[in-house]
Amino acid sequence: MVGSFAADFLGELHAQTKNVSNGKVAAGAEWIFFAADSAKDLSQVPKLAKSLKGAAALWIVYPKGQTQITENDVLGVGRKSGLKDVKVVGFSPTHTALKFVIPVESR
């Protein structure tokens, strides 16, 4: 978990697993959830992308319908970081999440 997430999401996550690292990426993490509130926050994505190994995934969670961060901002930084976008979900009523992985041919 990198960034600030709603308490209800954290509660659901902790109900599924006790293996959660907050504020930094744990070695061997299968999923990284990164909360980005503005395009400026996306400067952390290249570093997060480098921490991915194998089929691990980076979920970038960002506010819906905002001008300070758009889907194109998120897609652009993920792709420039060498990742492939594979899924978009309605994370909550107020947020969207895009899932990125290392392309299969690069694993």
Side-chain angles (χ1 to χ4, degrees):
M1 307 296 296
V2 179
S4 179
F5 289 89
D8 59 339
F9 172 66
L10 294 174
E12 287 181 39
L13 187 61
H14 284 288
Q16 297 299 313
T17 182
K18 301 301 178 213
N19 191 15
V20 177
S21 173
N22 289 312
K24 65 177 187 164
V25 177
E30 293 181 30
W31 291 350
I32 300 168
F33 287 92
F34 172 57
D37 292 322
S38 70
K40 185 183 253 188
D41 294 338
L42 296 174
S43 65
Q44 296 181 61
V45 171
K47 181 179 176 184
L48 294 171
K50 288 180 183 176
S51 67
L52 293 175
K53 304 289 185 237
L58 170 62
W59 286 92
I60 301 176
V61 181
Y62 63 98
K64 292 180 181 178
Q66 302 295 312
T67 57
Q68 72 270 18
I69 187 169
T70 66
E71 182 175 6
N72 285 336
D73 295 332
V74 177
L75 287 170
V77 74
R79 292 171 181 168
K80 285 179 186 170
S81 298
L83 303 176
K84 173 143 181 74
D85 49 291
V86 294
K87 187 172 290 223
V88 61
V89 298
F91 185 79
S92 73
T94 60
H95 285 73
T96 297
L98 280 165
K99 179 182 178 184
F100 292 89
V101 297
I102 299 169
V104 172
E105 61 274 7
S106 299
R107 294 182 193 168

